[in-house]
Amino acid sequence: MDGGALALALAWPLASRAQIAETSIQPMPEANWSATAGRTVGAGSSMLQAEAGWPGIGFTYLKGLDERSDVGFHVGLNYGFEEPRIG
């Protein structure tokens, strides 16, 4: 590789400009909301989810702090043993 090609290869990234992308968060319509959605609950809203199956049950509570973050907890209770049955 000659010196001119090497200088061009090294200078090429310096000539590129940064691209700025703007994003915004829109409130989610009530009809499209789900407890397992990949979105937050929303400012001032709260959610309680219950799950039941073998070998336990679980409860999740979420409280929306703002449009971008939630705080909450999950409690899981097992009423059976998790072991494979052989034969």
Side-chain angles (χ1 to χ4, degrees):
M1 182 180 254
D2 66 353
L6 179 61
L8 179 63
L10 293 175
W12 188 269
L14 298 175
S16 65
R17 297 186 315 206
Q19 297 179 3
I20 298 174
E22 291 187 22
T23 59
S24 64
I25 295 179
Q26 301 295 327
M28 203 166 138
E30 294 290 327
N32 294 332
W33 195 86
S34 167
T36 56
R39 296 186 181 208
T40 61
V41 176
S45 300
S46 59
M47 183 272 310
L48 178 64
Q49 177 184 355
E51 304 166 338
W54 181 258
I57 57 175
F59 301 96
T60 302
Y61 174 79
L62 293 174
K63 175 73 175 170
L65 297 177
D66 54 33
E67 294 301 320
R68 293 183 179 214
S69 56
D70 295 335
V71 65
F73 62 90
H74 176 82
V75 176
L77 305 168
N78 283 349
Y79 52 82
F81 292 106
E82 296 182 53
E83 63 182 58
R85 294 185 181 213
I86 300 175

